[in-house]
Amino acid sequence: MLEAQGLPTEYDELDVSQKIAIRRMYEMKKYLDDKYGMEFEYAGYIPAGLMEKEQFFAYSKELGTDGGRNYVTVRTNDKGEFTDDYVSATLRDKFEKMYNDFVQDYFRSDKAVVFISHFECDYEDISEMNDVFYDCKIHGQNQIFISDELCNAEKFKHFTVDYYKWLYQKGIYGNTRITVIYDRDFDSITFDNYTDFYDDNQMEFDIGLFVDENLSYTNTSFSVYKMDNDKIVCEREEINLDKYGVN
């Protein structure tokens, strides 16, 4: 941890504030190791400051980082006790599968995929979780990619609204970006490179869908990318929510 923080590797060479930080990192790592009965690896540390709360970042040695999605954050609550979001990290795979099952069943194809780039679970005890309705205690940021072989403009509107209705029924909120890309590129997309596909030359339709904590959806326009005089132009089209029975 010392070397990763750019600090001297000899403890006696550290100043007082650095020694305090090292002790805190050790305590936070030990808290995770003891609580979950496994070894965690150091990933980062932010000391407490005027504008910043103390945070310790780690990941399970057994599970690895998975591109950063398995990072666990340890913080201190108002009582001075350690808290962590390990439950969120462990549940992400479950919910990513749930999203993918919904999307691929909807299109009856595996030419649609969902990546969860950020996930939070507000359940203090996962035994309280009801998989029928999550009571707005599940939220995060999702990316959905769909092959253009499956989705024209009208199908895109239908899917966007039906996806929102599904979130509403499940009690899940957060941000989702839904993008239709050309089929020639679809098999190349992965979690590690998906941001490369947010390119005018690869997208056909695109929308940023935000569902708030009241399960309300207000964004009704999406982008359409078309070729015009050898240039890609972006146009906006509206989704008539009344037509699709949302309002």
Side-chain angles (χ1 to χ4, degrees):
M1 288 191 292
L2 292 172
E3 187 175 354
Q5 282 284 318
L7 299 174
T9 55
E10 294 296 329
Y11 186 78
D12 291 341
E13 297 178 11
L14 300 172
D15 61 31
V16 174
S17 63
Q18 290 170 339
K19 288 179 178 178
I20 292 173
I22 292 300
R23 186 173 69 249
R24 292 293 289 174
M25 284 186 269
Y26 171 79
E27 291 171 350
M28 289 173 153
K29 179 183 181 305
K30 187 174 186 304
Y31 156 80
L32 287 175
D33 292 349
D34 292 347
K35 182 176 179 180
Y36 296 107
M38 65 179 74
E39 185 176 355
F40 284 81
E41 295 282 353
Y42 166 88
Y45 176 75
I46 299 174
L50 291 176
M51 303 295 291
E52 193 76 59
K53 291 186 176 181
E54 182 184 32
Q55 296 178 77
F56 175 77
F57 307 98
Y59 60 90
S60 162
K61 186 175 182 179
E62 178 182 350
L63 298 176
T65 65
D66 192 14
R69 295 195 293 174
N70 286 341
Y71 286 157
V72 178
T73 304
V74 179
R75 297 181 176 90
T76 306
N77 63 21
D78 294 338
K79 298 178 180 179
E81 301 166 334
F82 290 145
T83 64
D84 66 87
D85 60 358
Y86 179 73
V87 170
S88 294
T90 56
L91 287 176
R92 178 186 51 77
D93 285 347
K94 168 184 174 174
F95 281 89
E96 192 169 77
K97 181 180 184 303
M98 184 182 79
Y99 277 85
N100 273 286
D101 286 347
F102 170 78
V103 172
Q104 292 176 2
D105 287 348
Y106 186 92
F107 288 104
R108 296 185 175 86
S109 172
D110 60 2
K111 290 282 183 134
V113 65
V114 185
F115 302 113
I116 297 182
S117 58
H118 178 73
F119 177 80
E120 292 187 26
C121 169
D122 296 336
Y123 287 97
E124 294 184 4
D125 183 347
I126 59 174
S127 67
E128 300 172 358
M129 184 183 298
N130 181 339
D131 285 330
V132 175
F133 187 77
Y134 295 104
D135 200 25
C136 292
K137 293 185 177 181
I138 298 296
H139 51 99
Q141 188 165 339
N142 316 305
Q143 283 72 35
I144 299 178
F145 291 91
I146 306 163
S147 164
D148 70 327
E149 285 191 350
L150 306 177
C151 205
N152 57 22
E154 189 62 20
K155 184 74 171 178
F156 185 76
K157 296 175 187 177
H158 277 283
F159 171 72
T160 299
V161 174
D162 289 342
Y163 172 72
Y164 161 68
K165 291 178 179 178
W166 179 73
L167 293 177
Y168 183 90
Q169 292 166 357
K170 300 293 286 185
I172 299 173
Y173 74 96
N175 292 300
T176 302
R177 186 169 181 177
I178 307 171
T179 308
V180 174
I181 63 174
Y182 293 106
D183 185 71
R184 65 173 183 261
D185 301 316
F186 187 85
D187 290 339
S188 302
I189 196 166
T190 67
F191 176 78
D192 293 326
N193 69 10
Y194 74 81
T195 56
D196 296 340
F197 291 80
Y198 293 133
D199 182 280
D200 291 0
N201 293 302
Q202 291 170 300
M203 296 188 294
E204 194 163 349
F205 310 113
D206 188 46
I207 191 171
L209 177 67
F210 176 68
V211 180
D212 64 24
E213 293 181 56
N214 297 315
L215 300 178
S216 297
Y217 160 43
T218 56
N219 182 22
T220 59
S221 62
F222 66 100
S223 299
V224 181
Y225 296 85
K226 297 179 179 179
M227 182 69 72
D228 184 21
N229 294 326
D230 296 325
K231 292 184 178 180
I232 300 290
V233 296
C234 178
E235 301 176 354
R236 303 291 288 177
E237 289 191 18
E238 291 292 319
I239 299 176
N240 184 340
L241 296 181
D242 289 328
K243 173 182 176 181
Y244 296 95
V246 173
N247 293 332

